[in-house]
């Protein structure tokens, strides 16, 4: 008789070795500063950034939806390029760190933000705990 353990399950996640450390294939340490940020910090920082953009839009632009989006892109590109993290990421003590190549951070920020706006790349994660928009941009979100 075939058992569920024989077939595996999509709920088990991607297959990996039991001793695999997230981020090790990207050159990140397993724990401490520079390690892959916990999952919960990502959506929370996104909500903080989006809330900041909505508040600015409500105060200055009568809550225009297109202004919200433009502000979100501007905040992401500007803060990632200059400081390595958005205001929400600074509050939650995570940063966006380049992990491969020699592309300038402004290009990485543009690619990462454009891919994040597509929403779908944010739904697929690698075994290193990084969504596709970070993989495409050659970045990783790490703890400080």
């Amino acid at each position: 008789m075939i058992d569920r353990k024989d077939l595996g399950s999509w709920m088990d996640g991607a297959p990996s070795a039991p001793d695999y450390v997230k981020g090790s294939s990207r050159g990140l340490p397993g724990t401490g500063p520079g390690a892959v940020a916990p999952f919960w910090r990502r959506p929370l920082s996104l909500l903080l950034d989006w809330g900041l953009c909505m508040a600015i839009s409500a105060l200055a632009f009568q809550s225009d939806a297109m202004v919200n989006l433009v502000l979100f892109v501007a905040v992401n590109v500007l803060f990632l390029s200059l400081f390595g993290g958005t205001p929400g990421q600074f509050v939650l003590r995570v940063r966006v760190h380049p992990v491969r190549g020699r592309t300038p951070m402004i290009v990485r920020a543009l690619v990462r933000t454009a891919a994040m706006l597509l929403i779908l790349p944010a739904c697929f994660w690698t075994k290193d705990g990084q969504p596709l928009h970070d993989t495409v941009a050659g970045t990783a979100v790490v703890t400080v």
Side-chain angles (χ1 to χ4, degrees), residues 56-87:
I56 293 170
S57 176
L59 292 173
F61 303 102
Q62 290 74 38
S63 297
D64 184 16
M66 188 54 107
V67 173
N68 288 344
L69 189 59
V70 169
L71 281 172
F72 182 75
V73 169
V75 164
N76 268 280
V77 172
L78 180 69
F79 278 86
L80 288 177
S81 299
L82 295 177
F83 307 114
T86 62

Side-chain angles (χ1 to χ4, degrees), residues 1-7:
M1 179 109 196
I2 296 177
D3 189 11
R4 180 179 174 166
K5 292 177 186 177
D6 296 332
L7 299 175

Side-chain angles (χ1 to χ4, degrees), residues 41-42 44-50 52 72-81 83-96 112-113 116:
R41 290 186 187 188
R42 289 172 167 273
L44 194 55
S45 69
L46 179 67
L47 287 174
L48 288 173
D49 292 334
W50 190 254
L52 174 68
F72 182 75
V73 169
V75 164
N76 268 280
V77 172
L78 180 69
F79 278 86
L80 288 177
S81 299
F83 307 114
T86 62
Q89 290 170 339
F90 278 105
V91 169
L92 294 172
R93 302 191 42 82
V94 295
R95 300 294 180 272
V96 177
R112 183 179 189 275
T113 303
M116 190 169 30

Side-chain angles (χ1 to χ4, degrees), residues 94-118:
V94 295
R95 300 294 180 272
V96 177
H97 181 70
V99 292
R100 63 172 170 82
R102 297 177 54 119
T103 310
M105 193 59 185
I106 190 163
V107 174
R108 291 176 193 265
L110 284 167
V111 169
R112 183 179 189 275
T113 303
M116 190 169 30
L117 290 177
L118 295 174

